[in-house]
């Protein structure tokens, strides 16, 4: 009995000792929120490695960051995120090449960076209008909203009301407007995405062409044909009475002109 207790104590002690010597990575900073103004330096400090450190690198989006690999046995490593890379945010990993490998992550969170697929959209009257916005920054939006903008007044567009339909995934939102109306639907729209840091938006101008405008090229051709036909018709009408008078003169003509007539007939036979 006493032996079992002391064995248990020994095991507990070993486990505790083992827990104390587990590798630990301290990250600095622990996370980055809404800092898109300056560059940010990330650092990882590894203590109690399980084996000598054979090197290290940094990863983002499951990919090794170019030029971040190091073969030195450093236990403290750093990586500087450029201002450009800060715009999109992401999850950065520092990886130490011990056996087994160990890593830690630092989340870089930014406001949603929203981009309209096209800033100017065009639709035909009575057709369906489609406006699209995307966002690929980290963390992805948890909510999307659409507004109709008139001057400095914004009106929230509710999914399923009137002819509006909103379909959203975390990285994309699509506003569909059924049967476009020139008066009601042309104008400015705003898509707004929200994540835990805050909100970001973009604007789209929608232009609605009248059915008639879409038909203009066709109507132009029709008008041209009508004018042409009219001109030909008028010309023919004007010419005919002359021919008739010519004909009567012809029949009344004397032998001298009859000779000409024969010539004409002969030519006609040839
Ligand atoms: C994030 O930063 C922008 C400008 O850099 C600022 O306008 C905004 O208020 C900040 N948002 C939060 C939630 O700190
Ligand atoms: C790394 O962590 C160890 C242990 O916590 C500490 O003594 C050391 O000063 C740290 N090094 C740096 C560069 O922060
Ligand atoms: C970090 O370590 C965890 C646990 O060992 C592992 O599942 C994960 O794939 C590692 N991530 C990277 C980026 O190395
Ligand atoms: C809008 O309504 C449609 C149809 O009722 C639905 O499929 C869709 O998921 C809704 N979108 C949002 C963003 O709730």
């Amino acid at each position: 009995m006493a032996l079992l207790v002391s064995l248990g104590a020994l095991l507990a002690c070993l486990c505790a000792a083992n827990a104390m010597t587990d590798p630990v990575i301290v990250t600095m900073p622990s996370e980055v929120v809404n800092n898109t103004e300056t560059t940010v330096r990330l650092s990882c400090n590894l203590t109690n490695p399980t084996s000598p450190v054979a090197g290290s690198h940094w990863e983002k989006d499951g990919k090794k960051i170019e030029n971040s690999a190091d073969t030195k046995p450093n236990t403290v490593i750093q990586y500087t995120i450029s201002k450009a890379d800060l715009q999109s945010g992401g999850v950065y990993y520092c990886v130490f090449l011990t056996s087994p490998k160990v890593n830690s992550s630092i989340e870089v969170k930014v406001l949603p960076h929203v981009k309209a697929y096209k800033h100017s959209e065009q639709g035909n009257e009575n057709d369906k209008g489609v406006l699209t916005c995307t966002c690929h920054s980290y963390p992805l939006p948890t909510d999307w909203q659409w507004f109709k903008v008139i001057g400095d007044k914004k009106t929230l567009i509710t999914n399923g009301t009137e002819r509006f339909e909103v379909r959203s995934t975390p990285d994309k939102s699509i506003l569909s407007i059924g049967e476009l109306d020139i008066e009601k639907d042309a104008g400015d729209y705003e898509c707004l995405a929200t994540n835990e840091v805050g909100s970001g938006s973009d604007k789209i101008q929608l232009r609605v062409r009248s059915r008639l405008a879409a038909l203009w090229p066709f109507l132009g051709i029709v008008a041209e044909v009508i004018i042409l036909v009219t001109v030909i018709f008028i010309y023919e009408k004007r010419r005919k009475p002359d021919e008739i008078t010519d004909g009567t003169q012809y029949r009344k003509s004397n032998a001298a002109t009859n000779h000409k007539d024969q010539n004409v007939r002969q030519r006609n036979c040839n």
Side-chain angles (χ1 to χ4, degrees):
M1 191 64 185
L3 188 75
L4 264 177
V5 169
S6 59
L7 208 92
L10 185 73
L11 272 175
C13 182
L14 272 174
C15 283
N18 203 25
M20 274 175 72
T21 56
D22 264 355
V24 174
I25 299 171
V26 175
T27 59
M28 272 287 282
S30 55
E31 68 172 4
V32 178
V33 180
N34 198 29
N35 182 350
T36 53
E37 293 307 310
T38 54
T39 57
V40 169
R41 177 170 286 187
L42 308 179
S43 84
C44 283
N45 181 354
L46 170 67
T47 45
N48 301 328
T50 47
S51 72
V53 178
S56 61
H57 65 257
W58 291 81
E59 285 186 23
K60 190 200 175 191
D61 301 330
K63 272 182 258 160
K64 201 186 273 192
I65 297 172
E66 260 183 75
N67 303 327
S68 71
D70 194 344
T71 51
K72 294 195 200 86
N74 295 337
T75 54
V76 177
I77 61 171
Q78 293 179 330
Y79 179 73
T80 303
I81 310 176
S82 69
K83 211 172 143 183
D85 283 345
L86 271 176
Q87 303 302 316
S88 57
V91 184
Y92 289 78
Y93 288 90
C94 55
V95 180
F96 289 99
L97 304 180
T98 51
S99 65
K101 285 188 208 172
V102 286
N103 72 60
S104 189
S105 64
I106 301 175
E107 286 183 90
V108 177
K109 299 176 181 178
V110 295
L111 291 171
H113 200 255
V114 178
K115 266 180 141 173
Y117 177 62
K118 270 175 162 178
H119 285 113
S120 177
E121 286 282 359
Q122 209 176 76
N124 289 333
E125 197 179 14
N126 294 331
D127 279 358
K128 189 165 144 184
V130 180
L131 309 181
T132 306
C133 282
T134 60
C135 176
H136 298 292
S137 51
Y138 182 87
L140 287 175
T142 48
D143 190 37
W144 283 92
Q145 286 177 315
W146 286 86
F147 297 91
K148 179 82 197 278
V149 184
I150 301 168
D152 46 9
K153 198 174 141 244
K154 292 203 286 181
T155 313
L156 179 70
I157 293 170
T158 309
N159 187 29
T161 59
E162 288 186 59
R163 295 155 291 125
F164 298 119
E165 195 196 357
V166 179
R167 270 177 299 144
S168 304
T169 56
D171 65 352
K172 191 177 188 178
S173 186
I174 301 170
L175 169 66
S176 307
I177 308 170
E179 292 165 42
L180 285 175
D181 183 295
I182 296 181
E183 298 288 313
K184 286 194 219 158
D185 300 328
D188 293 331
Y189 291 80
E190 184 182 311
C191 54
L192 182 121
T194 305
N195 67 11
E196 60 184 81
V197 180
S199 297
S201 65
D202 202 1
K203 277 204 176 134
I204 302 176
Q205 188 194 32
L206 175 64
R207 283 179 294 167
V208 182
R209 288 200 303 180
S210 76
R211 277 267 163 211
L212 214 60
L215 284 176
W216 266 130
F218 174 71
L219 288 180
I221 292 168
V222 169
E224 228 165 79
V225 168
I226 288 173
I227 289 169
L228 215 73
V229 165
T230 312
V231 165
I232 291 169
F233 184 75
I234 290 170
Y235 180 74
E236 287 287 317
K237 256 229 151 131
R238 282 216 172 159
R239 221 178 60 161
K240 263 188 187 142
D242 291 352
E243 269 179 5
I244 290 160
T245 39
D246 274 1
T248 37
Q249 273 169 1
Y250 211 75
R251 265 173 245 132
K252 282 175 188 168
S253 63
N254 51 30
T257 39
N258 266 342
H259 176 65
K260 253 190 215 164
D261 188 30
Q262 271 172 353
N263 276 349
V264 171
R265 274 189 201 147
Q266 266 174 356
R267 238 184 285 139
N268 284 347
C269 286
N270 289 343

